[in-house]
Amino acid sequence: MSFDARPAWREELDAIVGARSHGQFNQLLPRLEALDRRHPNVAEIAAQIAWTCETLGRLDAALPAYEKAIALGLPPNELSNAYLGLGATLRALGQLDRSAAILRAARLQFPDNRELDVFLALTLHAQGRSGEALALVLEALCDTTEDPGLTAYGRAIRHAAAKLT
């Protein structure tokens, strides 16, 4: 006997997410919202609603969806993406202190996800903390690049970055 342990909502969510490749986000949002009404406590559905709302520029709707997804609990990779989306949405809404706090907490939880550094740098820049923002981006660049010219000057770049903060 065959047993499929996938939750009932998974196949429909996968189909909706798969349809994104056609770029018709306005048509996907109602499908996601209908799925959410049938399965209101699924973090992955809330996360997809948040991302879709953010993509559509509906930041006021994205914000509670990100918060719901995080509160319900996501797998680590999706949680990191949700924190990034939440932080970016908060920045775009002008909630800079909260954006920075979310992104800093996410960096502590996911130190290998360097994209969080870059999004935190965007928030820091928006706060007028451009030196700290640039230092963060330069550190991320030095840590992740394989460019021979940059790696040759990595020590000098890090030294200059440290003086920016």
Side-chain angles (χ1 to χ4, degrees), residues 12-96:
E12 187 175 352
L13 181 62
D14 289 347
I16 294 168
V17 171
R20 280 200 179 127
S21 63
H22 301 294
Q24 300 170 338
F25 298 105
N26 283 321
Q27 295 161 352
L28 298 178
L29 185 57
R31 291 175 61 194
L32 286 166
E33 290 171 335
L35 183 61
D36 186 55
R37 283 190 295 277
R38 290 193 310 279
H39 305 279
N41 295 313
V42 177
E44 290 89 341
I45 296 170
Q48 292 300 324
I49 289 171
W51 187 86
T52 302
C53 287
E54 184 180 4
T55 301
L56 292 170
R58 297 179 55 193
L59 301 179
D60 288 333
L63 183 61
Y66 277 126
E67 291 169 333
K68 176 181 176 181
I70 291 167
L72 288 172
L74 289 163
N77 187 49
E78 292 180 44
L79 180 58
S80 174
N81 290 336
Y83 279 133
L84 189 145
L86 177 59
T89 297
L90 289 165
R91 176 178 42 83
L93 290 171
Q95 296 182 36
L96 301 178

